[in-house]
Amino acid sequence: MLNLTNSFYRCLKPACENLTHKILPSLAFSQLSCRSAICSSVYDQRSSFNPFIHNSQQCRLLANKRKRFRSKKPFANTNADITVKSMGDSFQPSLNHVSYGGQFDVLSEDESQSWIQLNNSASTANDNRSIRREIPPNFRIWEPVGKWSNTYDGNSFKFKVVSYNVLAQCLLESYPHLYKNCYPHDLKWHVRASRLYTEILHLEPDILCLQEVQASHLSSFYSKFEEMGYYGVFKQKTGHRKDGCAIYFKRSMFNLEDHLNVEFYQPELPMLNRDNVGIALRLSPRNPRAAPAPFVIATTHLQYHPKRTDLRLAQIQLFLAEIDRFAYYNDGKQAGYYPIILTGDLNSPPNSAIVQLLGKGHVCAAPFRDDSDWSRIGVTDNCQHLSVYLSRQRGLTADTSMLKIFNSEHNKGYLPASESADGTEKYGAMFNSGVLTHSLRFASVYGQHKPDGAPEATTFQNCWLTVDYIYFSRCSTLRLLERLRLPTEEECMKMGPLPNHVYGSDHLALAALFEIKPPNSNL
């Protein structure tokens, strides 16, 4: 059972024995937290709630009574008022913030029924949030992609990838207006954590890519996956942000060859002024009968703001440049890219410039550019570092000390534009042309539309739409076998708002089964 020291909404902390019958009715509306599973003094007198919830006039009287009570006896342990801001604004939770968490045990659904009963007693009969909508029977099922044989091949290596924006609790509590149609019980962290944990275990991922992972929950919740045999790599957003991205993989199936942290905040480029990040790992499968090719798994969470396509396009350009550098190999006999799987919450619909760039390999970027000079960070319109490109042209190994991008974790590799001497001015045509391209040859796991034309959806942003993706390299050594079905917009509307009584996040998980073989094998 979760042992919180602060409440979910207002962090009120009265002692149970000090509560009088005059304020007991307000507990049903204030979501107070107690140190026991259920405050017995409240639960035993739940019948006293009934006279206060029959009509709107009595509810207003109750609100006035609570207001007078607060004015007479303010609590010393209340948090500062939450200010509703856009998702792009800065956020700094207070030291008392419940999202700072602490050790907790995942609450089972059976154990949570008492809380459901208590919250139901406080809900009015016409409150639509208390209606538990039925999930369609074929909502999330595995579906094959193309034709493939299920027979075992000693040279092949199959693995399952799950990508999931798990909704950081600190963001949920900072922007409550986004979840006003959700049932309050479904927004509590210990309830959501249980459902996230159950869902992820049910999906049985070999590699788990997560976005909006709250740093303060790493040791209290996400460490449970490490106890199960996963190894995790986490990168927190820069600045004062309290969440980030993480990748967990089964140690019994993969060896970690290298990892890469990418920070999208770049002091030398005005457009890149946000704290989003991305991470990438190079993994080699453990297969005693064969030696499948190493591959790169990457994830990111691009900036949320419906009108900032320019910023997201700049972020993905930088991320692709880093993946291009990280996934490239030259063993003296052959040169090319390791297979790549790119996942994440791109906050971009299927018709966006970001999705066009990833899927088609090129996009017109002129409408989304300002006067920022990309030569200042050395990232070309081909989504490559100029220094890396020149090294490959000369047959040399790229020297990371020549990179111009900033990374707070290893500033030694950062070369400010004013101090660079790589002759960037000679290659001016490779920057700021208004057209972006890349050479990574991606295909999407999902088609964004059903065969009948119905659009798929992964989350709700004023409407149901797709913003989460899994891309993979179109190459001879990597093949997509199955994918976890995404629902249609119509099915999501029937399901109702997220998080709900089944799913613990405001996004739906994506999952795919891949097969990889050695470079000299044919899929």
Side-chain angles (χ1 to χ4, degrees):
M1 186 67 188
L2 175 62
N3 184 11
L4 293 178
T5 59
N6 300 287
S7 71
F8 182 81
Y9 287 106
R10 296 178 176 83
C11 294
L12 304 180
K13 188 185 176 184
C16 296
E17 59 271 20
N18 293 333
L19 293 172
T20 68
H21 75 280
K22 293 184 179 180
I23 64 171
L24 278 173
S26 66
L27 292 176
F29 298 92
S30 61
Q31 303 292 332
L32 296 182
S33 294
C34 300
R35 292 187 175 275
S36 59
I38 296 180
C39 176
S40 58
S41 62
V42 175
Y43 190 76
D44 292 341
Q45 300 188 38
R46 60 187 181 276
S47 61
S48 64
F49 297 167
N50 296 332
F52 292 87
I53 62 175
H54 288 318
N55 54 56
S56 59
Q57 181 180 5
Q58 291 171 332
C59 290
R60 287 195 297 270
L61 291 175
L62 175 60
N64 292 334
K65 186 177 296 184
R66 291 176 58 201
K67 182 178 180 181
R68 290 195 302 271
F69 176 77
R70 288 197 303 269
S71 63
K72 293 179 180 179
K73 187 179 179 180
F75 292 98
N77 196 31
T78 58
N79 279 344
D81 292 338
I82 296 176
T83 303
V84 177
K85 298 177 283 189
S86 66
M87 290 290 284
D89 290 341
S90 300
F91 165 65
Q92 175 67 48
S94 67
L95 295 178
N96 289 336
H97 205 283
V98 65
S99 61
Y100 274 89
Q103 296 297 322
F104 88 106
D105 294 325
V106 174
L107 183 69
S108 68
E109 290 298 317
D110 292 337
E111 293 173 324
S112 66
Q113 291 304 310
S114 57
W115 277 104
I116 295 177
Q117 295 172 7
L118 182 59
N119 282 288
N120 283 341
S121 67
S123 300
T124 60
N126 60 355
D127 189 353
N128 292 329
R129 295 178 302 181
S130 64
I131 299 176
R132 296 304 194 184
R133 304 189 184 186
E134 183 178 353
I135 305 297
N138 63 341
F139 196 64
R140 308 304 309 273
I141 59 175
W142 284 92
E143 52 186 15
V145 180
K147 297 180 180 180
W148 63 283
S149 173
N150 200 25
T151 58
Y152 176 72
D153 183 350
N155 291 327
S156 67
F157 185 90
K158 297 181 178 65
F159 60 97
K160 188 186 299 182
V161 175
V162 171
S163 179
Y164 204 175
N165 181 328
V166 292
L167 179 56
Q169 188 70 12
C170 60
L171 296 178
L172 183 155
E173 297 180 19
S174 301
Y175 311 105
H177 63 289
L178 298 178
Y179 310 98
K180 60 184 179 181
N181 294 324
C182 295
Y183 189 57
H185 175 76
D186 297 329
L187 303 180
K188 295 176 179 291
W189 169 240
H190 66 277
V191 175
R192 295 201 308 111
S194 174
R195 293 168 183 169
L196 292 171
Y197 185 76
T198 300
E199 183 182 6
I200 292 173
L201 290 188
H202 178 74
L203 292 174
E204 298 180 324
D206 301 312
I207 302 176
L208 179 60
C209 300
L210 300 176
Q211 305 87 43
E212 288 196 24
V213 173
Q214 190 162 310
S216 61
H217 291 160
L218 286 175
S219 60
S220 60
F221 175 68
Y222 295 100
S223 60
K224 294 180 181 297
F225 297 106
E226 295 180 340
E227 296 170 1
M228 296 170 55
Y230 289 87
Y231 182 86
V233 177
F234 171 75
K235 171 59 179 175
Q236 187 170 342
K237 291 179 181 177
T238 54
H240 57 265
R241 303 288 177 169
K242 301 303 178 182
D243 68 295
C245 297
I247 298 179
Y248 289 83
F249 63 89
K250 288 184 178 179
R251 290 174 291 182
S252 61
M253 295 183 61
F254 304 99
N255 291 315
L256 176 60
E257 293 189 352
D258 200 358
H259 77 281
L260 172 72
N261 292 330
V262 184
E263 298 178 0
F264 295 154
Y265 172 74
Q266 297 297 317
E268 293 288 334
L269 203 67
M271 180 176 289
L272 290 172
N273 60 356
R274 300 301 173 91
D275 296 316
N276 302 75
V277 297
I279 57 176
L281 311 182
R282 187 163 66 243
L283 302 177
S284 58
R286 292 185 176 182
N287 190 338
R289 300 185 57 181
F295 65 95
V296 171
I297 180 79
T299 194
T300 187
H301 183 194
L302 301 186
Q303 178 67 30
Y304 171 85
H305 194 298
K307 297 181 180 180
R308 292 307 306 271
T309 300
D310 57 338
L311 176 57
R312 287 188 291 275
L313 189 60
Q315 290 178 338
I316 200 66
Q317 179 180 353
L318 175 59
F319 197 38
L320 289 176
E322 283 288 83
I323 292 176
D324 173 274
R325 173 178 69 85
F326 187 68
Y328 186 81
Y329 71 90
N330 187 344
D331 59 9
K333 299 179 181 179
Q334 291 182 330
Y337 296 100
Y338 294 115
I340 303 168
I341 300 174
L342 172 60
T343 76
D345 175 3
L346 306 184
N347 274 312
S348 305
N351 61 351
S352 65
I354 291 85
V355 174
Q356 292 182 40
L357 174 61
L358 290 172
K360 296 181 179 181
H362 60 87
V363 71
C364 177
F368 310 104
R369 291 308 201 199
D370 59 8
D371 57 356
S372 297
D373 183 4
W374 281 79
S375 65
R376 296 182 64 84
I377 64 170
V379 175
T380 70
D381 292 341
N382 295 329
C383 297
Q384 292 178 316
H385 293 285
L386 177 62
S387 59
V388 172
Y389 168 79
L390 295 177
S391 297
R392 292 176 188 171
Q393 293 294 104
R394 300 163 184 162
L396 304 175
T397 302
D399 184 1
T400 57
S401 66
M402 297 301 295
L403 298 180
K404 292 185 178 182
I405 62 171
F406 174 79
N407 190 313
S408 61
E409 295 180 352
H410 43 82
N411 292 339
K412 294 181 180 179
Y414 170 63
L415 190 61
S418 59
E419 301 178 10
S420 63
D422 60 356
T424 301
E425 63 278 359
K426 299 179 183 179
Y427 305 95
M430 300 180 69
F431 302 94
N432 313 305
S433 67
V435 177
L436 296 181
T437 64
H438 70 82
S439 305
L440 301 180
R441 301 183 68 244
F442 284 132
S444 177
V445 167
Y446 294 92
Q448 283 81 56
H449 289 83
K450 302 296 182 186
D452 61 359
E456 297 175 334
T458 65
T459 190
F460 185 87
Q461 294 181 359
N462 296 322
C463 64
W464 287 100
L465 76 168
T466 294
V467 300
D468 305 272
Y469 301 86
I470 300 179
Y471 286 92
F472 65 100
S473 297
R474 291 178 291 173
C475 61
S476 61
T477 58
L478 182 66
R479 182 169 64 171
L480 172 65
L481 302 180
E482 295 184 15
R483 64 190 174 199
L484 184 65
R485 179 186 181 274
L486 280 176
T488 64
E489 177 184 358
E490 182 179 357
E491 290 170 334
C492 290
M493 292 177 65
K494 294 179 180 179
M495 174 186 64
L498 294 173
N500 60 19
H501 62 292
V502 176
Y503 300 106
S505 176
D506 59 347
H507 289 246
L508 295 173
L510 279 63
L513 178 67
F514 292 99
E515 181 182 36
I516 193 168
K517 285 190 174 184
N520 56 355
S521 298
N522 293 322
L523 289 173

